[in-house]
Amino acid sequence: MKATVVVRPKQGILDPQGEAVQGSLRHLGFAVDAARIGRVVDLDVEAADAADVRAQVERMCEQLLANPLIESYEIDLQENGA
Amino acid sequence: MKATVVVRPKQGILDPQGEAVQGSLRHLGFAVDAARIGRVVDLDVEAADAADVRAQVERMCEQLLANPLIESYEIDLQENGA
């Protein structure tokens, strides 16, 4: 089953990459007031059902994909063709 | 207006970061058949209306946020509180 994880810096956490992108965009002439950069991870997971996939992907986030101190994550499952 | 851009490696393009993540997840005991890594960029853009924001964000993608040779992008606008 396919799952998508979006990992973003938590609110209030400094995001130097986002600040650099904002600066570059403004330099190019775009009126950008804020830019924050995160990661998206598309996974293909073998599991019995959607609940199992979600539980596994949550453990992946806590163990590897996100740093829960400074990042938040969202999990989205694509249930077609499980 | 807030806009979210998701940038992913195109199909068929090698994604060494995704391969490394897949390897690490399998090493941790997860049955992951594939992993692909992309970026998510959350923007706050000053513009007259949604069509203008979308046009500006498309130009940002082509000029800075994505490499159109090897990456595809999706733009999503959050129109509340424009």
Side-chain angles (χ1 to χ4, degrees):
Chain A
M1 187 181 290
K2 291 188 191 302
T4 297
V5 180
V6 179
V7 181
R8 291 182 160 99
K10 283 186 180 170
Q11 252 194 330
I13 297 288
L14 208 67
D15 174 22
Q17 204 186 349
E19 286 177 18
V21 165
Q22 185 196 358
S24 298
L25 288 171
R26 293 191 78 93
H27 191 74
L28 288 169
F30 295 108
V32 175
D33 289 331
R36 305 272 290 171
I37 311 281
R39 295 187 298 288
V40 55
V41 185
D42 293 309
L43 296 165
D44 202 338
V45 183
E46 287 172 35
D49 54 38
D52 186 19
V53 172
R54 185 172 292 275
Q56 283 201 49
V57 174
E58 285 204 11
R59 280 191 288 126
M60 293 180 206
C61 288
E62 274 151 39
Q63 290 181 39
L64 186 84
L65 300 179
N67 178 345
L69 288 176
I70 58 169
E71 293 172 326
S72 62
Y73 59 84
E74 288 166 40
I75 298 170
D76 183 47
L77 302 184
Q78 289 94 53
E79 314 214 5
N80 52 323
Chain B
M1 188 179 290
K2 290 188 191 302
T4 297
V5 179
V6 179
V7 180
R8 291 182 160 99
K10 283 186 181 171
Q11 252 195 330
I13 297 287
L14 209 64
D15 175 21
Q17 203 186 350
E19 285 177 18
V21 165
Q22 185 195 357
S24 298
L25 288 171
R26 294 191 76 92
H27 191 75
L28 288 169
F30 295 108
V32 175
D33 289 332
R36 307 272 288 172
I37 312 282
R39 294 187 298 290
V40 56
V41 185
D42 293 309
L43 296 165
D44 202 338
V45 183
E46 287 173 36
D49 53 38
D52 186 19
V53 172
R54 184 172 292 276
Q56 283 201 49
V57 175
E58 284 203 12
R59 280 191 288 128
M60 293 180 206
C61 287
E62 273 150 40
Q63 290 181 39
L64 186 85
L65 300 178
N67 178 345
L69 288 175
I70 59 169
E71 293 171 326
S72 62
Y73 59 84
E74 287 166 40
I75 297 170
D76 183 47
L77 302 185
Q78 289 94 53
E79 315 214 4
N80 53 322

